Amino acid sequence: MKKMLAIVGLVLIALPALCKDFSIHQVMGKEPRQVDAAIGKPLSIGERGAFREYGTKRSGWYVRFAGGKSVLATVTFRTAFAKPEAALEAIDLKVGKLKPVKTMLLSRRWEKLEGLKSVTVRSLDGKRWDTIEIEK
């Protein structure tokens, strides 16, 4: 029984790390080649490189560029999260004690979170959170 509890404890400790796609800070404010290195080869590139679409094992990405740097990103996870904060942790954002500036049934928005202008987490049903919009 003790071994079982120890295993469950280790899994619970490791769970946040397993849920992380990677750090959004590897994407926002970066040049296209840096974003490609972080996410992988783009699935498509918009006219004059204005945006790029990517796919990872756990999510789909849409990244918009202006002035040679990424300024907007939308991440859509294939598996939704029970809380908006858990979705944010999957891209290495922690809200800590910062409260959302706007709370609605299907969205939560934070401003000035870890150097980002705004971060919005969206849900289709108010229970499962699967989309994050980030503005640098």
Side-chain angles (χ1 to χ4, degrees), residues 2 11-12 14 17 22 24 29 41 114 116 121 128-129:
K2 287 183 181 181
V11 168
L12 291 174
F22 61 85
I24 191 64
K41 183 180 176 185
E114 293 191 27
L116 300 167
V121 184
R128 306 295 295 164
W129 303 84

Side-chain angles (χ1 to χ4, degrees), residues 40-57:
K41 183 180 176 185
L43 301 173
S44 66
I45 299 174
E47 189 176 328
R48 294 185 294 271
F51 70 86
R52 292 179 181 219
E53 291 181 286
Y54 301 88
T56 69
K57 193 178 239 183

